[in-house]
Each structure stands twice: as C-alpha cells, then as structure tokens.
Amino acid sequence: MRYISTRGASAPVGFVEAVLAGLAPDGGLYVPETWPGFSQDEIAGFAGRPYAEVAAAVLGRFAADEIPREDLLGMCQEAYAAFDHPAVVPLVQLAPDVFLAELFHGPSLAFKDVAMQLLARLSDHVLSRAGRTQTILCATSGDTGGAAVEAFRGRANTRIVAMFPDGRISEVQRRFMTTASEDNVRCLAVAGDFDACQAILKTALADKDLQRAVGLSAVNSINFARIIAQSVYYFTTAVALGAPHRPVSFAVPSGNFGDGFAGYVAHRMGLPVGRILVATNANDILARTFLTGVYARGAVAETQSPAMDIQSASNFERLFFEATGRDGPATAEAFAGFSAGQAIQVPASALQSMKLLFSGASTDEASTAREMQQTLKETGEMADPHTAVALSALRRDPGPGPTVVLATAHPAKFPEAVLAATGRAPETPARALALAGRPERFERIDADAAKVSAYVRTFAGA
Ligand SMILES: *Cc1c(COP(=O)(O)O)cnc(C)c1O
C-alpha cells in the first residue's frame, strides 16, 4: 500500500515512511493511494473477536505488505493489554438507541491511548529494524500529550517533547505528562493557546534541517497510523450492535477531527455507517463548516472541554481532499490559504458529498453542564465534559437507529467540571491517584517556533 499527500506534490511513500514522517514534505497529510476494504462477511466475522485481533485485521489492510501480520498482531495484543477493561472499548447502553463507547480505559484515561499505545509499538518496531532513532514533537490540547508520554516513555529509539498551552489544560492532564521521570521525555508549557502550539509543530515539521538533525516526527492525529487505530472501534462497536446487517450511527466529540475522520475510514472500508454527528463545543469551526460550507477560523474560546478548544481541525484537510474527488492542487491552495488566514469555501458538490455522512452541531457551556447533570440523573452514568458535548448534540438531534457516542475521556480527568455540573465528584481511578504525589518536571517557553526548535536540537544532542 502506498500513501499519497493530500496536496498532491509529494512522491508516494510506503506505510513505514508515512508513519515516521507524519506530515508529507509538501505540507499535506498522507492518505492511502486506494482505500482497502472488507466484505460484509468479513465485517460480520469481527463479532465476538478479541479487540486486538480486529485491530490487527484492520491494520493489516494498510501495512501488511511492509510488516508481517504476526508482528502486527503481537503489537496490537501488547498495546491493548495495557487497558484495564477486557473488552478494551466496552459499550454501555444509556437509552434504547444510545450507547456509550468507553474509550478511556487506557493508561492516561482518554481515547488517545487507543491509538498511541499502538503507534508507540509500531514506531519502535520499524525504528529498531532501520537502526534509527526519532524525536517526537507533540502539540497537545490536553490529552494527546499524556497519551504520548505514557506510550513512549522509556522507549529506546524515541525522544519525546510534549508542548501544551500553559495554564489551559487540567491538572490531571498536565500531570500525566509532567510526572514522567524518564530521560527521553521533556515537557514544554507554551505561552499561547493550542493553535499556537500546533502552528509551532507545523513550522518545525516543515523545517527539513531540523527534521534531518533530530529525526523529527509527529504523533498528532495528522499521523495516519493513529487514524487507522481509531477506525477499529467503529468496527467493533458497530458490529456489537448489529452491523453490517444494519447501519450504526456515531456521535463524536470533535476538535482536530481525527476521530471523526476515523469514522470516515471505517465507512470507506465497507462498514455501514448511518451518520456521523460531529459535535463541537463553542469552538465550532467544524459544526459551522458542515452547516454552511465555509471553513473559517474563529477566536479560540476556553471551555470545560479543553481538548476540543481548537479552531483549525487538521484532519478536515483529508476529508476535503476526498470530497473534492482527490483534487491535490485544490486542496493545497485551500489549506495553504487557510494557514495564511483565509477562509475556505467548500465547493458545493464536495459539501453535498460530506453531508451524506456528516452533520455538525455545537454545544455551548451551559448545555454541556446540563447534559452531565441530566445523563447522571437519567442513567446513573457520569460523562466527562467532552462526551457531554456529543450527548447533548445527540439529544437535540437524535437521528434514526442506534447511535454510538464516543466517550473520549474518563470523568475523573475533568473532576472540577463534573463536580460543578453534577454536584458529585467522579471517583478517581488508581492510575490518576498515583500521579498526585509525584514531582512535576516541565519548562516554560515562548510561543516561538525558533525557540522550540533550538530546544529540540539541544535535547536531541544535534
Ligand atoms: C482529543 C480529544 C477530543 C477530540 O478528538 P479529535 O480527534 O481531535 O477530534 C475529544 N475528546 C477528548 C477527551 C480528547 O482528548
């Protein structure tokens, strides 16, 4: 399987190269040259299989020409053994047609573990075979950093630098990064918001000298391996609810649109998906885009669901590319313009094709809090604020048939917001309790790409 850039101006690469590079040299994102798929019988056959086996089957469709299937299976088994629920991603029923997919049973209590645990093993595997090392620079709106540090701490072939917006993530989120004591981990508190962190990352990744000097790589959801790993739970949860014999819909708390695009991938691979409801908080760039066809940055608002405080949803570029019939030059023009501050007008035919699968909705702060309270009262389940954003959107627009709401974080990761909304403090899992007493280690830095780049070089000894 070869991977091409959404901007059409980079040479195709293999799976390993796409995973290690993250961003394509022309600034685009990698997508497979053709979409692999499963027959309806193969999808039906996922029912009742262990999560790691389904993950290996999905991953195999993208990577088996470069990595032996038994190695892929071994990595999946190891990655998902780190989860504290035997189903890995259990389903909990909230109402006749509403189900929660609990994606938070991994080491950092958020859904990003699902992809990151696998990505760490994948990259270790390919780096050690190639005799290479890498430096991961990661920009986090809260949960990616913790998941990445948890996954990569102590790994022999990787250094990791996690950047987070200073003061804009929760204490638990911060501690998942800053309490790692391994030598290969560094944390940077950036004086800016998440979009500033992401802009620094993009600048660094476009810096060929830096890339060569330190083996720079990204684990943000621009990395296609993460998207593949996230498409797996669309399969496992839909099959548990009767797919492929009936379509299943999804409601997805969205920021960078990685999770939403993973649903698109599952759909392209043959899974009958009814609708993907893209739920944003007040930072509603995606919700607005699906409504109006204009992809335009707004000001970033701080909310109680900080992992979604984003006004530039990187993976939307992949959907734009697909919906325009894989028009690389048009995608390049649109997204280079977006980086330069312009809005993107999605062509009418592309918007129409997006709307066949996606709809968008934004949930404000009051409705998010009310949803946490209502969900607890009606079902006895505590939802974290991100999950509540999607539950609220679904309550207002239920749609036909069963819907799986992706529960993207454990409520204990956002105890203040949950307590304020429900009057009850979520129970803290042992994994989070253990962080409280540990010393933290991080440095403050200006929102300045040159300073971050210098820091990374020093750390890598380059
Ligand atoms: C990252 C994150 C999201 C947003 O996911 P995207 O793939 O960026 O859209 C939602 N909820 C939580 C808890 C997250 O950590």
Side-chain angles (χ1 to χ4, degrees), residues 115-370:
M116 211 65 83
Q117 287 292 324
L118 184 57
L119 182 60
R121 282 152 181 99
L122 258 177
S123 36
D124 229 32
H125 181 92
V126 299
L127 286 166
S128 72
R129 286 207 170 178
R132 282 162 66 177
T133 66
Q134 68 174 353
T135 305
I136 289 171
L137 183 60
C138 146
T140 184
S141 55
D143 290 330
T144 304
V149 168
E150 280 291 337
F152 284 96
R153 59 196 292 178
R155 295 211 172 258
N157 305 306
T158 302
R159 288 168 291 270
I160 175 164
V161 178
M163 291 184 282
F164 59 87
D166 199 1
R168 294 188 190 214
I169 61 175
S170 80
E171 181 182 343
V172 182
Q173 285 181 316
R174 192 186 67 235
R175 284 184 169 273
F176 269 114
M177 292 180 263
T178 57
T179 58
S181 57
E182 285 83 355
D183 279 345
N184 71 328
V185 179
R186 293 286 186 279
C187 299
L188 292 177
V190 175
D193 59 20
F194 172 68
D195 286 351
C197 296
Q198 188 151 264
I200 292 172
L201 175 65
K202 282 206 166 171
T203 305
L205 289 172
D207 180 342
K208 302 265 159 22
D209 280 347
L210 181 66
Q211 198 156 4
R212 222 171 299 120
V214 307
L216 196 65
S217 181
V219 292
N220 285 74
S221 57
I222 54 180
N223 192 308
F224 194 69
R226 277 189 56 187
I227 305 285
I228 299 171
Q230 288 169 210
S231 72
V232 173
Y233 44 75
Y234 283 84
F235 283 102
T236 59
T237 57
V239 164
L241 295 176
H245 312 297
R246 62 168 180 172
V248 173
S249 293
F250 291 85
V252 184
S254 294
N256 225 350
F257 196 51
D259 234 355
F261 190 75
Y264 176 86
V265 171
H267 162 72
R268 285 300 296 263
M269 295 181 79
L271 183 71
V273 175
R275 170 183 75 159
I276 300 177
L277 176 57
V278 175
T280 69
N281 62 25
N283 298 288
D284 61 350
I285 178 167
L286 280 170
R288 276 187 282 120
T289 302
F290 291 123
L291 288 173
T292 66
V294 181
Y295 182 72
R297 219 185 289 266
V300 177
E302 286 181 45
T303 72
Q304 58 201 310
S305 49
M308 310 196 301
D309 290 351
I310 295 172
Q311 287 281 1
S312 134
S314 301
N315 279 287
F316 184 67
E317 178 167 339
R318 287 189 162 113
L319 183 64
F320 184 95
F321 179 68
E322 295 295 337
T324 54
R326 300 199 138 195
D327 187 338
T331 308
E333 194 189 329
F335 286 87
F338 183 77
S339 295
Q342 290 158 22
I344 296 174
Q345 176 69 57
V346 180
S349 59
L351 183 63
Q352 202 179 358
S353 99
M354 290 177 187
K355 282 180 159 177
L356 292 175
L357 188 63
F358 292 100
S359 65
S362 136
T363 302
D364 64 21
E365 290 294 275
S367 306
T368 303
R370 204 174 328 114

